[in-house]
Amino acid sequence: MATKHNSIYWLDNEKYHFETEGASVIIYDDTNNVLGTLNDLMFKGKVVENVSFKTIKGTGVYNTKGLTGLPTSVPTDKRAILSVTAIGATSSPDMILYKVIGSNGVIAECTSFNGTFTDWSVGGISLQNTINTINTSLSSLGSRITDTNTNISNLSNSLTTLSTKFDKHNHDGRYPQLSGDIMQGNLGMKYGASYQFNRSNGQTVNMANIDKNDNFTLGNNQLALNIVSSQDVKINGHKVYTDLNSGEGSGINADQLDGLDSTKFLRNDIVNKVQADFELENGHELRVMPTNNNSTDPYGRILAASGGLVLGVKDANVVGIYNSEIWSNVPITLAAKNSEGRMRFAKSNGTIGLYYNDGREEMGFYDWGRNKFLSIFTTNGDGIMRLPESPYFNGRRLFLQNETPTGDIPYGSVWIGF
């Protein structure tokens, strides 16, 4: 187990603090590249996997697996010990001795001289001599580590003495200043406690806290809360809608509008069934727009007028409907093409009125209550008026028939027969 030491170092009357561990001394090459820790390279074995053994150039012991370039007699799918001894510059040694010990007990060696590698030789020089050499090196390094630990221990004692002095004042970096300081780590707060701010009147208010049930509260009911963001504010990844980003195009699918379900409103893309009265204020109109919805084109209109209703088109009234009359200030055309058009008057017994039959080109009066023709003005466009009954003229009748007249025959009537 490594011992952690805190020390102080004096240089030109300047005081420097540092801490280290005896087992965490880092070894660098001469170009300041990290080769590994002293603990890994000399004691535990630095772990290296799935690279070429030729990339390993620093002196030390390596815990390897999956290295390429090893002799085929050394299993690469299992752990192997690779011992490297290098002389010359640490980043580019002049000569390197590689010795690998496989999990099956096979020992092989090869060397590199100025970047030229020899073939692997199984056995090589005496294993015992190599082990003795390694042990001698480790013993020497162990002595150096012992000396280093002694120095660290001395530094630790100095730091302990210095720490005692520092405990008596508050000018070191362990304490944040009251103004203008920056925290270098996390600032923790236990549940039940709160982040507090002082109001302008000196009152202290809680602004953020977590209770024992892990409920987080932000803000205070005595203060207004204004959240400022360069983008939309989100809760659990979902956008918060405000008066600035809501409305049409926002993507909100509201269940209700002004407390009413969507079925209570008219839609412009379907046939609407209205189950209540629809009122137009006096002077306002209901427009029936053309297909292209261009208000400059003629359009139908229903206008709410005082005492009645007016039907028309853009800028023109056509028909007015009031309590006791229907009027129009333009000609009214009834469609009768390829059919029969009728204008009827209701009476106590059915209806009576004017008709036009396009198939016969016939126009006349008819009593639909009695199923009886009253008169015909034209047939097939001949312009001849036809009367199925003898007509009255100034209280007298004109009979044009062969049979002797019967029924109502006023004095002075004329009968013409054959």
PDB file of all heavy atoms in Angstrom, residues 1 57 112 123 228 241 267 320 333 368-369 387 391:
ATOM      1  N   MET A   1       0.864  -1.197   0.000  1.00  0.00           N
ATOM      2  CA  MET A   1       0.000   0.000   0.000  1.00  0.00           C
ATOM      3  C   MET A   1       0.898   1.243   0.000  1.00  0.00           C
ATOM      4  O   MET A   1       1.863   1.314   0.749  1.00  0.00           O
ATOM      5  CB  MET A   1      -0.911   0.005   1.225  1.00  0.00           C
ATOM      6  CG  MET A   1      -1.766   1.262   1.333  1.00  0.00           C
ATOM      7  SD  MET A   1      -2.772   1.262   2.801  1.00  0.00           S
ATOM      8  CE  MET A   1      -3.846  -0.108   2.454  1.00  0.00           C
ATOM      9  N   LYS A  57       9.337   0.458 -26.034  1.00  0.00           N
ATOM     10  CA  LYS A  57      10.763   0.789 -26.058  1.00  0.00           C
ATOM     11  C   LYS A  57      11.302   1.188 -24.696  1.00  0.00           C
ATOM     12  O   LYS A  57      12.515   1.377 -24.552  1.00  0.00           O
ATOM     13  CB  LYS A  57      11.000   1.935 -27.047  1.00  0.00           C
ATOM     14  CG  LYS A  57      10.610   1.588 -28.479  1.00  0.00           C
ATOM     15  CD  LYS A  57      10.836   2.756 -29.417  1.00  0.00           C
ATOM     16  CE  LYS A  57      10.420   2.415 -30.853  1.00  0.00           C
ATOM     17  NZ  LYS A  57      10.652   3.551 -31.765  1.00  0.00           N
ATOM     18  N   SER A 112      17.050  -5.364 -30.460  1.00  0.00           N
ATOM     19  CA  SER A 112      16.915  -4.337 -31.497  1.00  0.00           C
ATOM     20  C   SER A 112      18.103  -3.417 -31.375  1.00  0.00           C
ATOM     21  O   SER A 112      18.398  -2.916 -30.287  1.00  0.00           O
ATOM     22  CB  SER A 112      15.611  -3.560 -31.308  1.00  0.00           C
ATOM     23  OG  SER A 112      15.595  -2.415 -32.146  1.00  0.00           O
ATOM     24  N   GLY A 123      15.050 -19.637 -25.454  1.00  0.00           N
ATOM     25  CA  GLY A 123      16.102 -19.968 -24.502  1.00  0.00           C
ATOM     26  C   GLY A 123      17.016 -18.780 -24.312  1.00  0.00           C
ATOM     27  O   GLY A 123      17.030 -18.160 -23.257  1.00  0.00           O
ATOM     28  N   VAL A 228     -34.765  33.556 -17.530  1.00  0.00           N
ATOM     29  CA  VAL A 228     -34.266  34.103 -18.795  1.00  0.00           C
ATOM     30  C   VAL A 228     -33.437  33.040 -19.494  1.00  0.00           C
ATOM     31  O   VAL A 228     -32.602  32.378 -18.872  1.00  0.00           O
ATOM     32  CB  VAL A 228     -33.410  35.370 -18.549  1.00  0.00           C
ATOM     33  CG1 VAL A 228     -32.887  35.929 -19.862  1.00  0.00           C
ATOM     34  CG2 VAL A 228     -34.237  36.417 -17.814  1.00  0.00           C
ATOM     35  N   TYR A 241     -44.439  26.433 -22.945  1.00  0.00           N
ATOM     36  CA  TYR A 241     -45.107  27.395 -23.811  1.00  0.00           C
ATOM     37  C   TYR A 241     -45.520  28.638 -23.022  1.00  0.00           C
ATOM     38  O   TYR A 241     -46.028  28.550 -21.908  1.00  0.00           O
ATOM     39  CB  TYR A 241     -46.338  26.752 -24.453  1.00  0.00           C
ATOM     40  CG  TYR A 241     -45.966  25.722 -25.497  1.00  0.00           C
ATOM     41  CD1 TYR A 241     -45.866  24.377 -25.165  1.00  0.00           C
ATOM     42  CD2 TYR A 241     -45.694  26.116 -26.805  1.00  0.00           C
ATOM     43  CE1 TYR A 241     -45.508  23.442 -26.123  1.00  0.00           C
ATOM     44  CE2 TYR A 241     -45.333  25.188 -27.759  1.00  0.00           C
ATOM     45  CZ  TYR A 241     -45.248  23.852 -27.418  1.00  0.00           C
ATOM     46  OH  TYR A 241     -44.901  22.933 -28.360  1.00  0.00           O
ATOM     47  N   ARG A 267     -66.026  24.193 -37.875  1.00  0.00           N
ATOM     48  CA  ARG A 267     -64.797  23.943 -38.625  1.00  0.00           C
ATOM     49  C   ARG A 267     -65.010  24.350 -40.077  1.00  0.00           C
ATOM     50  O   ARG A 267     -66.129  24.309 -40.591  1.00  0.00           O
ATOM     51  CB  ARG A 267     -64.408  22.471 -38.543  1.00  0.00           C
ATOM     52  CG  ARG A 267     -63.956  22.047 -37.156  1.00  0.00           C
ATOM     53  CD  ARG A 267     -63.666  20.568 -37.104  1.00  0.00           C
ATOM     54  NE  ARG A 267     -62.769  20.136 -38.166  1.00  0.00           N
ATOM     55  CZ  ARG A 267     -62.365  18.862 -38.301  1.00  0.00           C
ATOM     56  NH1 ARG A 267     -62.790  17.944 -37.465  1.00  0.00           N
ATOM     57  NH2 ARG A 267     -61.562  18.530 -39.283  1.00  0.00           N
ATOM     58  N   GLY A 320     -85.789  40.702 -50.187  1.00  0.00           N
ATOM     59  CA  GLY A 320     -85.957  41.016 -48.788  1.00  0.00           C
ATOM     60  C   GLY A 320     -87.101  40.222 -48.193  1.00  0.00           C
ATOM     61  O   GLY A 320     -88.155  40.062 -48.832  1.00  0.00           O
ATOM     62  N   THR A 333     -86.020  35.220 -61.481  1.00  0.00           N
ATOM     63  CA  THR A 333     -86.104  34.146 -62.469  1.00  0.00           C
ATOM     64  C   THR A 333     -86.200  32.814 -61.745  1.00  0.00           C
ATOM     65  O   THR A 333     -85.367  32.512 -60.886  1.00  0.00           O
ATOM     66  CB  THR A 333     -84.876  34.151 -63.390  1.00  0.00           C
ATOM     67  OG1 THR A 333     -84.797  35.416 -64.050  1.00  0.00           O
ATOM     68  CG2 THR A 333     -84.978  33.049 -64.431  1.00  0.00           C
ATOM     69  N   TRP A 368    -104.039  23.119 -57.474  1.00  0.00           N
ATOM     70  CA  TRP A 368    -103.537  21.793 -57.065  1.00  0.00           C
ATOM     71  C   TRP A 368    -104.423  21.191 -55.972  1.00  0.00           C
ATOM     72  O   TRP A 368    -104.443  19.973 -55.810  1.00  0.00           O
ATOM     73  CB  TRP A 368    -102.093  21.929 -56.547  1.00  0.00           C
ATOM     74  CG  TRP A 368    -101.103  22.081 -57.659  1.00  0.00           C
ATOM     75  CD1 TRP A 368    -100.537  21.109 -58.391  1.00  0.00           C
ATOM     76  CD2 TRP A 368    -100.588  23.303 -58.162  1.00  0.00           C
ATOM     77  NE1 TRP A 368     -99.690  21.616 -59.339  1.00  0.00           N
ATOM     78  CE2 TRP A 368     -99.684  22.999 -59.227  1.00  0.00           C
ATOM     79  CE3 TRP A 368    -100.784  24.655 -57.866  1.00  0.00           C
ATOM     80  CZ2 TRP A 368     -99.000  23.943 -59.961  1.00  0.00           C
ATOM     81  CZ3 TRP A 368    -100.095  25.601 -58.596  1.00  0.00           C
ATOM     82  CH2 TRP A 368     -99.211  25.258 -59.624  1.00  0.00           C
ATOM     83  N   GLY A 369    -105.189  22.016 -55.270  1.00  0.00           N
ATOM     84  CA  GLY A 369    -106.108  21.477 -54.270  1.00  0.00           C
ATOM     85  C   GLY A 369    -107.241  20.690 -54.915  1.00  0.00           C
ATOM     86  O   GLY A 369    -107.715  19.692 -54.372  1.00  0.00           O
ATOM     87  N   LEU A 387    -109.223  28.582 -71.957  1.00  0.00           N
ATOM     88  CA  LEU A 387    -109.998  28.619 -70.722  1.00  0.00           C
ATOM     89  C   LEU A 387    -110.853  27.362 -70.664  1.00  0.00           C
ATOM     90  O   LEU A 387    -111.732  27.158 -71.527  1.00  0.00           O
ATOM     91  CB  LEU A 387    -110.884  29.865 -70.685  1.00  0.00           C
ATOM     92  CG  LEU A 387    -110.159  31.214 -70.720  1.00  0.00           C
ATOM     93  CD1 LEU A 387    -111.175  32.340 -70.796  1.00  0.00           C
ATOM     94  CD2 LEU A 387    -109.281  31.372 -69.517  1.00  0.00           C
ATOM     95  N   PRO A 391    -115.980  31.938 -69.233  1.00  0.00           N
ATOM     96  CA  PRO A 391    -115.522  33.084 -68.452  1.00  0.00           C
ATOM     97  C   PRO A 391    -116.647  34.075 -68.150  1.00  0.00           C
ATOM     98  O   PRO A 391    -117.685  34.082 -68.805  1.00  0.00           O
ATOM     99  CB  PRO A 391    -114.482  33.709 -69.354  1.00  0.00           C
ATOM    100  CG  PRO A 391    -114.933  33.382 -70.742  1.00  0.00           C
ATOM    101  CD  PRO A 391    -115.563  32.020 -70.671  1.00  0.00           C
TER     102      PRO A 391
END
